[in-house]
Amino acid sequence: MTERITVLIADDQPLVRRGLALILTPDPGFAVVGEAENGERAVTLAHELRPDVVVMDIRMPVLDGVAATARLTEELPGCRVLALSTFDLDEYVVAALRAGASGFLPKDVSPEELTAAIRTVHAGEAAVAPRLLTSLIAAYVRAPQPARATAAAPAAEGLTPREVEIWRLIAAGLDNTAIAAELDLSVSTVKNHITALFAKLRVRDRAQAVITAYETGLVTARTAD
């Protein structure tokens, strides 16, 4: 039997915490190791319990989910954060993804979607629906200012033409299989390019790569439609 994924649940509403725990507890693939009522408590418990994944509400008192995510990303890089929000389009979600969250789900998702997302972020991938991420970007990531674009240019200068091409396709929401088909490459070759791309951009996953693509002006909401 594979080792269970340990999960810490952080939400300021007791009923939400209990509901999420009731979804995960019966599944032998998960172990809920703790619950936190605010971001500060979530960070403290994460240090004590070392969960694989923190399911993190974005809007909480004392320390919100964005700030808590930033701290966890810096202090416990092996811990993955799956952000939750009541609203599909929430500027705080983009901030959480920037801060290092590996995925986002609205709170009205099904139990199957929740467990699948936790497994995805635990595996090191980003769990954000491409269409939802594009909507978030279009709503909350502003077009780059000249100074910002100039500052971002050095990061993109070291990319090969193929890496830039793959970066554009990632920003368009294509997965590795679709990118491989589009460029007539093997999936393993695409993965190698993406590994190099993420290292050069200094991003953690696809969600951060997409945000960076919009922030640097590589793509815009209009060209991605």
Side-chain angles (χ1 to χ4, degrees):
M1 182 176 178
T2 57
E3 188 174 348
R4 292 189 295 177
I5 299 172
T6 55
V7 180
L8 172 65
I9 298 170
D11 195 291
D12 62 329
Q13 298 181 38
L15 285 177
V16 174
R17 296 198 304 271
R18 182 49 38 202
L20 293 172
L22 287 173
I23 290 172
L24 298 175
T25 300
D27 191 318
F30 300 100
V32 177
V33 295
E35 298 180 16
E37 69 277 9
N38 59 60
E40 186 69 45
R41 182 62 176 159
V43 173
T44 299
L45 284 179
H47 276 277
E48 293 176 3
L49 303 171
R50 299 299 173 108
D52 297 315
V53 177
V54 177
V55 178
M56 181 86 74
D57 184 24
I58 295 297
R59 299 172 183 263
M60 291 187 290
V62 184
L63 186 71
D64 66 30
V66 176
T69 296
R71 283 186 55 184
L72 288 176
T73 300
E74 180 179 354
E75 298 169 13
L76 296 173
C79 177
R80 301 288 176 173
V81 175
L82 177 62
L84 292 180
S85 175
T86 304
F87 309 101
D88 284 0
L89 291 179
D90 187 345
E91 60 186 314
Y92 287 89
V93 172
V94 174
L97 293 171
R98 266 199 205 99
S102 296
F104 157 70
L105 288 176
K107 287 187 177 180
D108 60 355
V109 296
S110 68
E112 294 77 16
E113 288 172 317
L114 173 65
T115 55
I118 292 174
R119 288 190 172 95
T120 296
V121 300
H122 178 250
E125 298 291 333
V128 186
R131 183 174 299 178
L132 179 56
L133 182 58
T134 300
S135 299
L136 284 166
I137 296 295
Y140 297 113
V141 176
R142 302 292 177 252
Q145 300 299 315
R148 189 176 192 179
T150 301
E157 280 180 358
L159 301 181
T160 67
R162 179 66 84 189
E163 288 166 351
V164 172
E165 194 172 18
I166 289 175
W167 190 15
R168 289 183 188 277
L169 294 176
I170 289 173
L174 276 65
D175 61 19
N176 291 356
T177 301
I179 292 173
E182 177 75 17
L183 301 180
D184 195 22
L185 299 171
S186 69
V187 173
S188 61
T189 298
V190 170
K191 288 181 178 178
N192 289 338
H193 282 302
I194 289 175
T195 298
L197 172 65
F198 286 5
K200 291 177 181 180
L201 294 176
R202 297 182 181 179
V203 299
R204 184 171 180 172
D205 53 36
R206 297 176 98 87
Q208 289 189 341
V210 172
I211 290 172
T212 302
Y214 281 83
E215 288 182 329
T216 60
L218 177 77
V219 294
T220 65
R222 180 176 297 176
T223 60
D225 290 341

